[in-house]
Amino acid sequence: MSKEHTTTKDSQQSSIDLASALIKRGELVQARDLLSRRIINAPDDYKARLLLRESFLQPGTDSDHGTGEKSCPCCNNSFSFFLPGGPSFRPDACCPACESLERHRFLCLILERLLPATTADASMIHVAPEQSLSPILREKLNNRYFTIDRFADADIQCDLCLMPFGTDSIELFMANHVLEHVKDDRLAMREIRRILKPKGRALLQVPLDHTLSTTQEAPEGATHEDLLRLFGQDDHVRQYGTDFKDRLEQSGFTVREHTCFNTVTPKDIKTYGLHKDEIVWEAIKA
Ligand SMILES: [Zn+2]
């Protein structure tokens, strides 16, 4: 190993050690500043990311979260900036404390408005639960909140197209960035509609290409390499276009689109670090 490489590694380790010591002494502003600068320069520095996240779990530090220009509705912390996030580490994307991305924060704002409107004993199903949202919902809804996933850890392991819930049994359903993975998404939409109570609603998010008017399906027999080339991810089986809403309506839902334009102010977009093209579809069982 070259001397230069060893020195860089040593200095990286020493700044982690320094940040750890600062956190232990309660000097959180300095520790967070040091760690944030490291992460901006090297977004894949997961050691620094973990330590920064831990700094927000320190007890008795509520008023010590930076300048407060940015704020996360998922964890209620505020910061001077968001960190790079997502697969390509896009700037201003990720909450330093709870790792929420733009779409999670937008959804959290929508949920804040919609949850009080549901009945006090409403049940909710959350598919492939996001860590930045699931704990909040579990705390709010307690034993009326269930997570489901086909492969990963969840309250119930099941397929979205065949769920072990009665017809007309659930008030609220949520699946974010899930349907683009499901081979027969129309079957999944019908199954979601089946389990919802009349007037029950599904909150859905999918990656959408706003320039595409017709959803593009994977060709029969497409390999993982084909999917990666076509859709940018080897486990996506389609690219949704602006006809996503039509698909929901064809599956029997009344659909309301929540966008940054009809839901939040330009100031909110800046403060909460939202993506202006983000949409949450609220599919209501008529
Ligand atoms: Zn957060």
Side-chain angles (χ1 to χ4, degrees):
M1 190 183 290
S2 72
K3 194 179 168 199
E4 198 181 316
H5 187 82
T6 313
T7 311
T8 313
K9 223 177 153 196
D10 286 350
S11 73
Q12 279 175 351
Q13 185 53 44
S14 69
S15 75
I16 285 282
D17 290 344
L18 175 58
S20 299
L22 287 167
I23 291 169
K24 276 197 190 111
R25 292 207 298 268
E27 294 173 32
L28 298 172
V29 173
Q30 292 90 326
R32 287 172 189 154
D33 185 52
L34 179 67
L35 292 166
S36 300
R37 276 189 282 120
R38 267 184 70 123
I39 297 164
I40 300 269
N41 286 326
D44 60 347
D45 187 340
Y46 293 104
K47 223 182 213 179
R49 279 179 178 263
L50 182 66
L51 199 54
L52 182 57
R53 209 159 66 236
E54 281 174 7
S55 81
F56 289 95
L57 301 174
Q58 299 296 306
T61 58
D62 290 352
S63 60
D64 196 13
H65 290 163
T67 63
E69 288 160 37
K70 308 282 181 188
S71 174
C72 173
C74 298
C75 66
N76 288 322
N77 283 302
S78 51
F79 323 92
S80 14
F81 48 79
F82 288 108
L83 296 175
S88 59
F89 292 120
R90 59 184 178 275
D92 293 324
C94 180
C95 168
C98 74
E99 297 204 314
S100 67
L101 297 173
E102 303 93 328
R103 64 186 175 91
H104 305 132
R105 294 189 290 274
F106 184 51
L107 195 58
C108 197
L109 293 171
I110 303 285
L111 280 165
E112 267 175 22
R113 291 167 196 207
L114 290 183
L115 276 183
T118 56
T119 56
D121 59 351
S123 299
M124 178 175 186
I125 305 289
H126 186 178
V127 188
E130 296 90 347
Q131 268 319 298
S132 52
L133 294 170
S134 186
I136 309 168
L137 292 166
R138 200 176 287 283
E139 195 183 324
K140 278 194 169 107
L141 298 163
N142 211 322
N143 57 1
R144 293 173 285 112
Y145 171 77
F146 305 93
T147 57
I148 66 169
D149 201 297
R150 192 168 165 201
F151 303 111
D153 252 4
D155 295 327
I156 298 162
Q157 278 205 334
C158 67
D159 193 314
L160 189 55
C161 296
L162 187 64
M163 293 185 278
F165 306 107
T167 301
D168 299 340
S169 62
I170 303 291
E171 278 86 356
L172 198 56
F173 185 93
M174 188 162 78
N176 307 308
H177 288 232
V178 171
L179 287 169
E180 69 275 15
H181 298 266
V182 178
K183 201 166 181 198
D184 190 344
D185 64 334
R186 291 177 192 272
L187 180 61
M189 287 173 188
R190 289 198 297 275
E191 177 67 348
I192 294 167
R193 190 177 179 280
R194 179 189 70 78
I195 67 165
L196 281 174
K197 284 185 176 175
K199 307 269 181 234
R201 46 196 144 180
L203 295 181
L204 305 164
Q205 282 179 312
V206 293
L208 190 87
D209 182 343
H210 291 265
T211 66
L212 202 63
S213 58
T214 308
T215 293
Q216 189 190 352
E217 296 285 350
E220 197 60 43
T223 62
H224 287 299
E225 288 75 23
D226 296 333
L227 298 177
L228 183 65
R229 182 173 41 78
L230 284 168
F231 307 134
Q233 232 174 284
D234 69 0
D235 55 353
H236 285 189
V237 294
R238 72 185 60 77
Q239 173 61 62
Y240 283 111
T242 51
D243 59 344
F244 177 65
K245 186 183 178 207
D246 303 338
R247 283 195 181 212
L248 290 169
E249 286 172 342
Q250 286 155 11
S251 306
F253 288 108
T254 302
V255 183
R256 197 172 154 209
E257 287 181 323
H258 297 272
T259 69
C260 276
F261 299 102
N262 68 16
T263 310
V264 294
T265 64
K267 186 172 176 288
D268 288 338
I269 294 176
K270 263 191 156 176
T271 305
Y272 299 126
L274 308 178
H275 196 285
K276 64 177 175 44
D277 288 336
E278 206 67 67
I279 303 176
V280 172
W281 287 267
E282 184 184 358
I284 304 159
K285 180 169 174 175

